[in-house]
């Protein structure tokens, strides 16, 4: 793999002066290389032989065009030696460990991004209504228990209310783990699920759930406790709901829908069984005890 | 003595458990057996059978050709399975008849035709000269001396590496994953292969003396430091030796760091933040010690395991 990357870097004239490419590689859903130059510059190179990366490249390109300050710059997508390769410019950043640590920057930037997303990422001609998309996701799971629970829950949902929401492409995995801070700027990473969900509020729900539970088995019960949500996240929620002319209560009422979509993404695109298990538990927790507004 | 919980004889399962396993897979799908069988060692080592990450470090190597690979001590077959995605053919080679039977069932069930099975011992490799582009020696080198009990362990390992050298094609590569003798926890009494504490870090003659005093057999499962492996491979005739750092260990590798790269402080901080919070190693002094070691670029030499590659 590394020799394919080396040839590719030569071909596209990246890091020409480096003789042997120094790198780290981490193994998750892809081979995730970090290739370093002599100076501060480095590149993130995702390599896969099984998973198509073209869609991720397109997503990254669209997102970078819309909000260049918040998205890593894609360099290119290549197919070489039976491998799919996606290169983007590396950004030296600080990890966002908690909203308390970087609350102000995250709050300010997320508000701006969510506000902007209404314009940048709006789907003018969606292929299907929200309810139809939800039913398609239910069909994906066939008769799994949580899919049946979702169908039962949907009976009591007003379809007109859901269908009246605009279609806005969501990041798909907006968690603190996928965020970094450079000065006063927030960088959002991992755009591989961008655009796969278009129900507004999905990203915000992911962020809110992450800030309360950290997607850990220990935090599952806290999802329904309103008092557990940090004030920074509540502020973002109220601001976003105002933007969408959506009642805050409705946003929290839609939690089962958001978490069902979360499960759908994680199952469909091959995430770890651990996160799927936690997703199922979170979904069950909000069905049993909805978040009170 | 604190023993590394993931290790057992030859790093696999005890013989009785292997027998149970072989009987069970005769009429039940192998994955189901691995997931459900409740044997004392097996239940701790389920990942050993199914974790494809174990084979990932071999997929990143800069190989010129990818025609034929050999996995010595293939064990559960998980590495052969992973590497077979890149190679035209892979030979999975193991000493244990039970494991060979298990792999046969595994690959048959999974419909993998590119992997061929050969049974034999590592000290007598039954292959023609110059036929492999990659030879994988994952957690095997330290066990090689057990196959030639009359030979000095160091000499047995050199001899084995020379034999591997002979079956490699020109510009072929050997990939060795193994523990680091100077792993900091060995100084705290952790034993990598079930020896008494500190045996692994003592000079060899002292280690043997201690074993003799305890009326035990000679210490034979030699592992080495960063420099020791370099010396061993040079002596066996290899060139372009590269020693990659594998984190947290080669049993379940998450990150591989190339020889030219010192872990950045940011990476280091993130990696250890997770690690410290995971196992309760939260002491400020320890964190500071790590930080300093990394600043001095010594961290590479004191971690758990290496991935060593060398060319013919």
């Amino acid at each position: 793999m590394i020799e394919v990357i080396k040839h590719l870097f030569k071909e596209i004239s990246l890091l020409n002066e480096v003789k042997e490419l120094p790198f780290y590689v981490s193994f998750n859903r892809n081979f995730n290389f970090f290739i370093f130059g002599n100076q501060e510059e480095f590149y993130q190179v995702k390599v896969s032989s099984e998973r198509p990366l073209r869609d991720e490249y397109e997503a990254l390109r669209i997102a970078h065009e819309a909000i260049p300050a918040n998205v890593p710059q894609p360099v290119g997508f290549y197919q070489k030696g039976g491998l799919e390769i996606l290169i983007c410019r590396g950004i030296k950043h600080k990890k966002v460990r908690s909203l308390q640590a970087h609350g102000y920057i995250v709050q300010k930037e997320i508000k701006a991004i969510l506000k902007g997303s209404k314009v940048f990422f709006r789907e003018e001609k969606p292929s299907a209504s929200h309810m139809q998309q939800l039913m398609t996701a239910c069909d994906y799971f066939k008769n799994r228990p949580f899919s049946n629970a979702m169908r039962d829950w949907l009976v009591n949902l007003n379809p007109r209310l859901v269908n009246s929401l605009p279609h806005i492409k969501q990041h798909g995995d907006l968690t603190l783990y996928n965020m970094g801070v450079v000065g006063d700027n927030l960088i959002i990473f991992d755009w591989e699920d961008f655009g796969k969900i278009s129900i507004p509020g999905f990203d915000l729900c992911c962020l809110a759930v992450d800030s309360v539970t950290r997607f850990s088995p220990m935090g599952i019960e806290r999802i329904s406790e309103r008092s557990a949500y940090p004030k920074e996240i509540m502020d973002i929620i109220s601001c976003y709901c105002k933007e969408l002319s959506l009642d805050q209560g409705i946003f929290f009422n839609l939690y089962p829908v958001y978490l069902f979509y979360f499960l759908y993404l994680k199952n469909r695109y091959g995430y770890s069984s651990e996160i799927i298990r936690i997703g199922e538990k979170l979904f069950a927790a909000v069905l049993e005890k909805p978040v009170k507004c | 003595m604190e023993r590394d919980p993931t290790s057992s004889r030859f790093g696999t399962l005890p013989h009785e458990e292997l027998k149970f396993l072989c009987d069970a897979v005769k009429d039940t799908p192998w994955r189901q057996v691995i997931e459900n069988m409740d044997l004392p060692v097996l239940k701790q080592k389920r990942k050993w059978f199914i974790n494809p990450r174990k084979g990932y470090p071999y997929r990143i190597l800069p190989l010129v050709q990818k025609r034929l690979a050999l996995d010595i001590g293939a064990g559960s077959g998980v590495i052969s399975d992973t590497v077979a995605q890149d190679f035209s053919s892979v030979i999975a080679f193991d000493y244990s008849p039970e494991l060979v039977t298990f792999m046969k069932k595994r690959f048959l069930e999974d419909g993998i035709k590119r992997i061929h099975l050969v049974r034999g011992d590592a000290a007598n490799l039954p292959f023609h000269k110059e036929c492999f582009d990659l030879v994988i020696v994952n957690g095997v080198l330290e066990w090689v001396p057990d196959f030639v009990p009359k030979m000095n362990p160091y000499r047995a390992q050199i001899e084995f590496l020379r034999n591997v050298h002979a079956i490699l094609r020109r510009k072929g590569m050997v990939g060795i994953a193994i523990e680091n003798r100077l792993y900091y926890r060995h100084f705290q009494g952790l034993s990598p292969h079930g020896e008494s504490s500190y045996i692994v870090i003592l000079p060899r003659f002292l280690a043997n003396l201690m074993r003799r005093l305890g009326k035990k057999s000679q210490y034979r499962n030699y592992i080495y430091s960063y420099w020791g492996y370099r010396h061993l491979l040079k002596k066996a005739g290899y060139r372009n030796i590269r020693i990659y750092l594998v984190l947290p260990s080669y049993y379940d590798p998450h990150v591989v760091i190339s020889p030219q790269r010192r872990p950045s402080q940011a990476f280091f901080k993130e990696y250890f933040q997770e690690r410290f919070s995971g196992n309760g190693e939260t002491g400020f002094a320890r964190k500071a010690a790590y930080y300093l070691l990394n600043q001095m670029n010594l961290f590479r030499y004191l971690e758990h395991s290496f991935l060593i590659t060398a060319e013919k």
Side-chain angles (χ1 to χ4, degrees):
Chain A
M1 236 170 235
I2 192 69
E3 80 285 2
V4 176
I5 298 173
K6 206 168 150 184
H7 284 137
L8 183 61
F9 267 54
K10 246 185 207 166
E11 265 176 47
I12 58 175
S13 308
L14 284 179
L15 302 180
N16 275 338
E17 74 286 5
V18 182
K19 239 182 162 186
E20 193 145 5
L21 296 177
F23 67 89
Y24 306 155
V25 53
S26 64
F27 308 124
N28 32 44
R29 293 201 299 156
N30 305 299
F31 289 80
N32 202 1
F33 286 86
F34 294 86
I35 309 237
F36 298 85
N38 285 336
Q39 311 295 319
E40 290 289 279
E41 68 173 328
F42 73 98
Y43 293 88
Q44 186 181 359
V45 183
K46 279 192 183 182
V47 184
S48 176
S49 55
E50 300 109 49
R51 204 179 294 275
L53 294 176
R54 188 186 283 277
D55 287 352
E56 187 178 343
Y57 170 69
E58 284 305 322
L60 198 62
R61 206 179 48 77
I62 293 167
H64 181 75
E65 262 172 28
I67 41 174
N70 306 104
V71 182
Q73 184 193 355
V75 173
F77 167 78
Y78 310 88
Q79 284 172 312
K80 248 184 175 304
L83 300 170
E84 302 226 332
I85 302 171
L86 163 61
I87 306 179
C88 57
R89 217 168 266 281
I91 302 172
K92 239 182 162 183
H93 62 275
K94 280 186 189 161
K95 279 264 171 200
V96 178
R97 300 244 162 257
S98 65
L99 276 175
Q100 281 72 28
H102 294 282
Y104 172 69
I105 297 170
V106 176
Q107 207 175 343
K108 171 183 78 102
E109 293 277 283
I110 289 283
K111 271 187 196 169
I113 293 168
L114 290 176
K115 195 173 170 184
S117 72
K118 228 176 93 179
V119 182
F120 303 134
F121 301 142
R122 189 174 185 132
E123 283 179 11
E124 291 304 338
K125 289 177 189 163
S127 55
S129 70
H130 283 306
M131 279 309 277
Q132 282 167 336
Q133 288 180 358
L134 250 174
M135 293 321 283
T136 312
C138 284
D139 290 343
Y140 171 79
F141 290 114
K142 296 199 176 100
N143 279 327
R144 299 264 292 275
F146 53 86
S147 172
N148 291 338
M150 186 70 216
R151 280 177 205 274
D152 292 346
W153 187 86
L154 282 175
V155 172
N156 297 320
L157 186 72
N158 179 358
R160 280 170 68 187
L161 170 88
V162 180
N163 284 337
S164 69
L165 293 169
H167 286 253
I168 300 168
K169 287 179 179 173
Q170 303 289 296
H171 173 275
D173 198 9
L174 194 71
T175 58
L176 295 175
Y177 187 80
N178 287 334
M179 291 177 187
V181 169
V182 183
D184 262 359
N185 212 9
L186 183 74
I187 310 290
I188 300 176
F189 299 97
D190 277 358
W191 289 80
E192 56 202 278
D193 293 331
F194 174 68
K196 286 172 183 156
I197 303 291
S198 63
I199 188 160
F202 174 80
D203 281 344
L204 191 49
C205 171
C206 287
L207 185 62
V209 171
D210 183 31
S211 66
V212 175
T213 68
R214 297 315 304 259
F215 289 105
S216 92
M218 319 284 281
I220 288 167
E221 281 163 16
R222 300 178 65 206
I223 191 172
S224 302
E225 291 170 21
R226 262 291 298 277
S227 57
Y229 288 76
K231 68 174 187 339
E232 290 90 347
I233 205 78
M234 290 307 296
D235 187 41
I236 298 172
I237 291 171
S238 90
C239 176
Y240 187 62
C241 287
K242 228 180 251 170
E243 276 296 319
L244 286 176
S245 316
L246 189 73
D247 186 73
Q248 253 193 63
I250 294 175
F251 169 77
F252 284 115
N253 275 344
L254 285 175
Y255 255 40
V257 172
Y258 297 138
L259 286 168
F260 183 72
Y261 269 133
F262 177 83
L263 267 176
Y264 171 70
L265 278 182
K266 303 298 173 196
N267 272 280
R268 179 147 188 192
Y269 299 101
Y271 282 80
S272 74
S273 52
E274 197 182 337
I275 191 73
I276 291 172
R277 258 199 306 277
I278 290 172
E280 284 176 14
K281 284 183 181 166
L282 286 169
F283 178 64
V286 289
L287 279 189
E288 198 183 309
K289 198 175 161 196
V291 191
K292 287 211 174 92
C293 188
Chain B
M1 175 189 71
E2 189 189 359
R3 186 179 167 172
D4 192 337
T6 48
S7 82
S8 63
R9 189 75 186 145
F10 295 137
T12 70
L13 302 181
H15 189 241
E16 308 77 54
E17 288 197 18
L18 281 176
K19 274 190 140 180
F20 275 123
L21 183 66
C22 276
D23 287 342
V25 292
K26 271 181 194 159
D27 40 30
T28 315
W30 74 269
R31 279 180 202 277
Q32 209 175 313
V33 172
I34 296 298
E35 272 169 31
N36 301 327
M37 211 169 181
D38 206 15
L39 299 170
V41 181
L42 173 68
K43 71 180 178 192
Q44 286 175 30
K45 299 192 81 165
R46 293 192 212 280
K47 257 189 162 182
W48 185 73
F49 288 84
I50 51 172
N51 182 6
R53 258 205 300 264
K54 285 180 71 172
Y56 286 174
Y58 301 102
R59 292 191 66 190
I60 65 166
L61 300 181
L63 287 156
V64 180
Q65 298 274 0
K66 289 183 178 178
R67 286 166 290 184
L68 186 59
L70 170 66
D71 180 7
I72 298 179
S76 68
V78 70
I79 294 176
S80 302
D81 189 354
T82 309
V83 170
Q85 293 178 42
D86 294 336
F87 279 80
S88 311
S89 286
V90 176
I91 292 180
F93 180 78
D94 205 281
Y95 175 69
S96 155
E98 289 84 8
L99 282 171
V100 172
T101 310
F102 172 80
M103 282 193 280
K104 194 173 174 185
K105 180 79 196 310
R106 173 185 186 141
F107 299 138
L108 195 72
E109 250 176 52
D110 291 355
I112 300 168
K113 291 178 182 157
R114 280 194 255 187
I115 305 176
H116 311 280
L117 296 162
V118 177
R119 202 203 139 209
D121 76 74
N124 299 293
L125 298 172
F127 302 106
H128 289 296
K129 281 186 179 172
E130 304 204 350
C131 53
F132 295 102
D133 297 303
L134 172 68
V135 175
I136 296 168
V137 184
N138 194 85
V140 169
L141 188 63
E142 65 273 38
W143 301 108
V144 166
D146 286 351
F147 288 101
V148 270
K150 285 182 184 159
M151 201 187 269
N152 169 288
Y154 171 75
R155 291 215 57 77
Q157 286 169 329
I158 292 263
E159 197 59 36
F160 166 74
L161 288 171
R162 281 189 183 139
N163 292 340
V164 170
H165 188 271
I167 59 174
L168 278 173
R169 281 199 177 115
R170 217 179 118 249
K171 291 203 171 172
M173 200 174 258
V174 64
I176 302 169
I178 194 162
E179 290 88 351
N180 174 12
R181 187 181 181 190
L182 298 184
Y183 176 38
Y184 75 94
R185 296 210 58 197
H186 293 165
F187 294 89
Q188 297 173 330
L190 186 80
S191 139
H193 303 111
E195 319 85 343
S196 309
S197 296
Y198 309 109
I199 287 276
V200 63
I201 49 169
L202 286 176
R204 308 296 188 197
F205 76 94
L206 267 181
N208 276 326
L209 189 70
M210 269 185 72
R211 298 272 293 198
R212 239 176 269 151
L213 288 173
K215 294 191 178 163
K216 286 180 185 162
S217 57
Q218 191 196 7
Y219 170 59
R220 301 188 62 78
N221 306 119
Y222 284 13
I223 55 173
Y224 302 85
S225 64
Y226 179 94
W227 303 277
Y229 288 119
R230 199 168 266 285
H231 172 78
L232 197 72
L233 281 153
K234 251 189 193 166
K235 194 136 194 210
Y238 291 87
R239 56 193 193 88
N240 286 346
I241 301 158
R242 293 186 180 93
I243 304 186
Y244 299 81
L245 186 61
V246 185
L247 297 172
S249 76
Y250 77 89
Y251 311 144
D252 183 20
H254 280 66
V255 177
V256 171
I257 301 175
S258 72
Q260 309 84 7
R261 184 75 198 169
R262 184 175 88 185
S264 72
Q265 291 301 354
F267 165 84
F268 180 79
K269 214 171 151 188
E270 189 185 328
Y271 176 73
F272 283 101
Q273 198 110 13
E274 281 170 26
R275 184 157 158 172
F276 285 135
S277 58
N279 62 8
E281 292 182 54
T282 47
F284 171 77
R286 189 163 286 172
K287 275 187 194 173
Y290 270 118
Y291 182 84
L292 275 174
L293 284 173
N294 192 41
Q295 283 289 45
M296 294 188 286
N297 206 9
L298 289 175
F299 164 73
R300 171 180 294 281
Y301 311 109
L302 299 170
E303 256 305 313
H304 181 278
S305 35
F306 298 126
L307 168 70
I308 306 159
T309 67
E311 283 174 29
K312 181 159 182 169

